[in-house]
Short mmCIF file of all heavy atoms in Angstrom, two decimals:
data_model
loop_
_atom_site.label_atom_id
_atom_site.label_comp_id
_atom_site.label_asym_id
_atom_site.label_seq_id
_atom_site.Cartn_x
_atom_site.Cartn_y
_atom_site.Cartn_z
N ILE B 27 42.71 -56.22 43.90
CA ILE B 27 41.54 -55.70 44.65
C ILE B 27 42.09 -54.73 45.75
O ILE B 27 43.31 -54.62 45.89
CB ILE B 27 40.80 -56.89 45.51
CG1 ILE B 27 41.60 -57.51 46.30
CG2 ILE B 27 40.22 -57.82 44.31
CD1 ILE B 27 40.92 -58.64 47.16
N SER B 28 41.12 -53.96 46.25
CA SER B 28 41.52 -52.98 47.37
C SER B 28 41.86 -53.69 48.64
O SER B 28 41.30 -54.73 48.79
CB SER B 28 40.47 -51.94 47.50
OG SER B 28 39.33 -52.57 48.13
N ARG B 29 42.61 -53.06 49.45
CA ARG B 29 42.87 -53.62 50.71
C ARG B 29 41.59 -53.89 51.63
O ARG B 29 41.37 -54.74 52.32
CB ARG B 29 43.94 -52.82 51.56
CG ARG B 29 44.38 -53.40 52.82
CD ARG B 29 45.04 -52.51 53.70
NE ARG B 29 44.06 -51.45 54.16
CZ ARG B 29 43.23 -51.53 55.09
NH1 ARG B 29 43.14 -52.72 55.78
NH2 ARG B 29 42.42 -50.58 55.48
N ALA B 30 40.73 -52.76 51.46
CA ALA B 30 39.56 -52.86 52.23
C ALA B 30 38.64 -54.00 51.84
O ALA B 30 38.08 -54.67 52.68
CB ALA B 30 38.64 -51.59 51.87
N ALA B 31 38.70 -54.28 50.49
CA ALA B 31 37.92 -55.48 50.07
C ALA B 31 38.43 -56.87 50.87
O ALA B 31 37.75 -57.67 51.31
CB ALA B 31 37.98 -55.51 48.56
N LEU B 32 39.76 -56.82 50.76
CA LEU B 32 40.50 -58.18 51.30
C LEU B 32 40.18 -58.18 52.78
O LEU B 32 39.91 -59.28 53.29
CB LEU B 32 41.84 -58.01 51.09
CG LEU B 32 42.72 -59.17 51.69
CD1 LEU B 32 42.31 -60.52 51.27
CD2 LEU B 32 44.30 -58.97 51.41
N SER B 33 40.20 -57.09 53.46
CA SER B 33 39.83 -57.10 54.87
C SER B 33 38.53 -57.57 55.19
O SER B 33 38.20 -58.46 55.99
CB SER B 33 39.95 -55.63 55.50
OG SER B 33 39.52 -55.66 56.79
N HIS B 34 37.46 -57.20 54.38
CA HIS B 34 36.15 -57.57 54.42
C HIS B 34 36.05 -59.08 54.23
O HIS B 34 35.27 -59.85 54.88
CB HIS B 34 35.17 -56.94 53.36
CG HIS B 34 34.96 -55.52 53.70
ND1 HIS B 34 34.66 -54.99 54.95
CD2 HIS B 34 34.91 -54.35 52.86
CE1 HIS B 34 34.25 -53.87 54.92
NE2 HIS B 34 34.54 -53.26 53.63
N TYR B 35 36.74 -59.54 53.27
CA TYR B 35 36.80 -60.99 52.98
C TYR B 35 37.28 -61.82 54.22
O TYR B 35 36.70 -62.75 54.78
CB TYR B 35 37.68 -61.36 51.81
CG TYR B 35 37.27 -60.83 50.50
CD1 TYR B 35 38.25 -60.57 49.51
CD2 TYR B 35 35.92 -60.52 50.26
CE1 TYR B 35 37.84 -60.11 48.32
CE2 TYR B 35 35.64 -60.03 49.18
CZ TYR B 35 36.52 -59.72 48.10
OH TYR B 35 36.12 -59.15 46.88
N GLU B 36 38.48 -61.36 54.83
CA GLU B 36 39.00 -61.98 56.10
C GLU B 36 38.11 -61.94 57.14
O GLU B 36 38.13 -62.85 58.08
CB GLU B 36 40.39 -61.41 56.22
CG GLU B 36 41.40 -61.75 55.30
CD GLU B 36 42.85 -61.30 55.77
OE1 GLU B 36 43.06 -60.83 56.84
OE2 GLU B 36 43.72 -61.45 54.81
N LYS B 37 37.31 -60.94 57.29
CA LYS B 37 36.40 -60.88 58.42
C LYS B 37 34.92 -61.28 58.02
O LYS B 37 34.03 -61.15 58.72
CB LYS B 37 36.24 -59.37 58.79
CG LYS B 37 37.52 -58.91 59.44
CD LYS B 37 37.83 -59.59 60.74
CE LYS B 37 39.24 -59.36 61.26
NZ LYS B 37 39.45 -60.27 62.43
N ASN B 38 34.91 -61.99 56.99
CA ASN B 38 33.71 -62.69 56.43
C ASN B 38 32.44 -61.57 56.45
O ASN B 38 31.40 -61.92 56.77
CB ASN B 38 33.25 -63.77 57.42
CG ASN B 38 34.22 -64.89 57.33
OD1 ASN B 38 34.51 -65.39 56.43
ND2 ASN B 38 34.90 -65.18 58.45
N ARG B 39 32.85 -60.29 56.04
CA ARG B 39 31.90 -59.43 55.95
C ARG B 39 31.46 -59.35 54.49
O ARG B 39 30.22 -58.97 54.29
CB ARG B 39 32.50 -58.11 56.22
CG ARG B 39 31.92 -57.21 57.22
CD ARG B 39 32.88 -55.97 57.35
NE ARG B 39 33.61 -56.05 58.59
CZ ARG B 39 33.07 -56.03 59.88
NH1 ARG B 39 31.82 -55.81 60.00
NH2 ARG B 39 33.89 -56.16 61.04
N ARG B 40 32.15 -59.61 53.61
CA ARG B 40 31.90 -59.68 52.15
C ARG B 40 32.34 -61.12 51.58
O ARG B 40 33.16 -61.66 52.28
CB ARG B 40 32.59 -58.59 51.39
CG ARG B 40 32.31 -57.15 51.90
CD ARG B 40 30.93 -56.72 51.39
NE ARG B 40 30.31 -55.77 52.49
CZ ARG B 40 30.59 -54.49 52.45
NH1 ARG B 40 31.25 -53.91 51.41
NH2 ARG B 40 30.15 -53.65 53.35
N GLU B 41 31.89 -61.35 50.47
CA GLU B 41 32.36 -62.69 49.77
C GLU B 41 32.93 -62.45 48.48
O GLU B 41 32.49 -61.76 47.70
CB GLU B 41 31.05 -63.54 49.56
CG GLU B 41 31.15 -64.88 50.14
CD GLU B 41 30.01 -65.72 49.79
OE1 GLU B 41 29.26 -65.58 48.78
OE2 GLU B 41 29.71 -66.61 50.65
N PRO B 42 34.22 -62.93 48.36
CA PRO B 42 34.86 -62.75 47.05
C PRO B 42 34.07 -63.37 45.96
O PRO B 42 33.58 -64.46 46.19
CB PRO B 42 36.19 -63.41 47.22
CG PRO B 42 36.14 -64.30 48.39
CD PRO B 42 34.90 -63.79 49.29
N ASP B 43 34.11 -62.96 44.86
CA ASP B 43 33.50 -63.60 43.70
C ASP B 43 34.43 -64.71 43.10
O ASP B 43 35.55 -64.91 43.61
CB ASP B 43 33.14 -62.72 42.55
CG ASP B 43 34.49 -62.05 41.92
OD1 ASP B 43 35.48 -62.52 42.13
OD2 ASP B 43 34.33 -60.97 41.24
N THR B 44 33.81 -65.59 42.33
CA THR B 44 34.55 -66.73 41.78
C THR B 44 35.94 -66.45 41.29
O THR B 44 36.83 -67.16 41.41
CB THR B 44 33.69 -67.41 40.99
OG1 THR B 44 32.28 -67.70 41.46
CG2 THR B 44 34.29 -68.88 40.55
N GLU B 45 36.02 -65.38 40.59
CA GLU B 45 37.15 -64.98 39.80
C GLU B 45 38.30 -64.71 40.87
O GLU B 45 39.30 -65.28 40.66
CB GLU B 45 36.95 -63.76 38.93
CG GLU B 45 38.12 -63.39 38.04
CD GLU B 45 38.03 -62.09 37.45
OE1 GLU B 45 36.85 -61.69 37.19
OE2 GLU B 45 39.14 -61.48 37.09
N THR B 46 37.93 -63.93 41.82
CA THR B 46 38.94 -63.70 42.86
C THR B 46 39.39 -64.97 43.68
O THR B 46 40.46 -65.26 43.92
CB THR B 46 38.44 -62.66 43.89
OG1 THR B 46 38.05 -61.40 43.18
CG2 THR B 46 39.32 -62.28 44.96
N LEU B 47 38.19 -65.79 43.97
CA LEU B 47 38.54 -67.01 44.51
C LEU B 47 39.53 -67.81 43.81
O LEU B 47 40.42 -68.46 44.41
CB LEU B 47 37.18 -67.79 44.73
CG LEU B 47 36.76 -68.33 46.07
CD1 LEU B 47 37.15 -67.45 47.15
CD2 LEU B 47 35.28 -68.51 46.06
N GLY B 48 39.46 -67.89 42.49
CA GLY B 48 40.40 -68.56 41.63
C GLY B 48 41.70 -68.05 41.71
O GLY B 48 42.75 -68.71 41.76
N LYS B 49 41.83 -66.69 41.77
CA LYS B 49 43.25 -66.02 41.79
C LYS B 49 43.89 -66.44 43.06
O LYS B 49 45.04 -66.71 43.13
CB LYS B 49 43.05 -64.52 41.66
CG LYS B 49 42.76 -63.98 40.27
CD LYS B 49 42.65 -62.43 40.30
CE LYS B 49 42.24 -61.78 39.02
NZ LYS B 49 41.96 -60.34 39.14
N VAL B 50 43.07 -66.31 44.24
CA VAL B 50 43.61 -66.78 45.54
C VAL B 50 44.15 -68.20 45.48
O VAL B 50 45.20 -68.60 45.94
CB VAL B 50 42.62 -66.62 46.67
CG1 VAL B 50 43.15 -67.13 48.02
CG2 VAL B 50 42.22 -65.24 46.75
N ALA B 51 43.20 -69.12 44.87
CA ALA B 51 43.57 -70.52 44.81
C ALA B 51 44.92 -70.74 44.05
O ALA B 51 45.66 -71.54 44.42
CB ALA B 51 42.41 -71.28 44.21
N ASP B 52 45.05 -69.98 42.90
CA ASP B 52 46.19 -70.06 42.13
C ASP B 52 47.38 -69.65 42.88
O ASP B 52 48.39 -70.27 42.85
CB ASP B 52 45.92 -69.11 40.71
CG ASP B 52 45.10 -69.88 39.86
OD1 ASP B 52 44.89 -71.15 39.90
OD2 ASP B 52 44.63 -69.28 39.00
N LEU B 53 47.23 -68.41 43.53
CA LEU B 53 48.40 -67.85 44.17
C LEU B 53 48.94 -68.73 45.33
O LEU B 53 50.01 -68.89 45.40
CB LEU B 53 47.90 -66.51 44.71
CG LEU B 53 48.96 -65.58 45.33
CD1 LEU B 53 50.06 -65.17 44.25
CD2 LEU B 53 48.38 -64.30 45.85
N PHE B 54 48.02 -69.25 45.99
CA PHE B 54 48.42 -70.19 47.10
C PHE B 54 48.54 -71.60 46.78
O PHE B 54 48.75 -72.33 47.66
CB PHE B 54 47.56 -69.78 48.44
CG PHE B 54 47.59 -68.42 48.94
CD1 PHE B 54 46.47 -67.65 49.35
CD2 PHE B 54 48.91 -67.84 49.22
CE1 PHE B 54 46.61 -66.42 49.75
CE2 PHE B 54 48.94 -66.73 49.77
CZ PHE B 54 47.79 -65.95 50.07
N GLN B 55 48.12 -71.89 45.64
CA GLN B 55 48.09 -73.28 45.21
C GLN B 55 47.28 -74.28 46.01
O GLN B 55 47.76 -75.19 46.53
CB GLN B 55 49.50 -73.75 45.06
CG GLN B 55 50.51 -73.07 44.29
CD GLN B 55 51.51 -73.80 43.63
OE1 GLN B 55 51.36 -74.81 42.96
NE2 GLN B 55 52.75 -73.24 43.81
N VAL B 56 46.05 -73.77 46.30
CA VAL B 56 45.08 -74.59 47.17
C VAL B 56 43.97 -74.69 46.25
O VAL B 56 43.71 -73.90 45.31
CB VAL B 56 44.84 -73.98 48.37
CG1 VAL B 56 46.11 -73.97 49.38
CG2 VAL B 56 44.28 -72.61 48.28
N SER B 57 42.90 -75.62 46.70
CA SER B 57 41.72 -75.75 45.95
C SER B 57 40.68 -74.71 46.50
O SER B 57 40.88 -74.21 47.58
CB SER B 57 41.15 -77.02 46.06
OG SER B 57 40.83 -77.28 47.41
N ILE B 58 39.72 -74.32 45.65
CA ILE B 58 38.74 -73.38 46.05
C ILE B 58 37.96 -74.18 47.27
O ILE B 58 37.41 -73.59 48.12
CB ILE B 58 37.85 -73.07 44.94
CG1 ILE B 58 38.65 -72.17 43.98
CG2 ILE B 58 36.51 -72.40 45.53
CD1 ILE B 58 37.72 -71.65 42.85
#
Side-chain angles (χ1 to χ4, degrees):
Chain B
I27 61 178
S28 70
R29 185 196 65 80
L32 178 56
S33 172
H34 284 317
Y35 298 156
E36 292 190 2
K37 288 297 164 189
N38 296 301
R39 235 176 258 288
R40 306 283 154 84
E41 231 181 30
D43 60 18
T44 307
E45 186 187 336
T46 303
L47 232 34
K49 286 183 186 172
V50 173
D52 284 341
L53 190 61
F54 292 134
Q55 302 208 58
V56 297
S57 69
I58 292 185

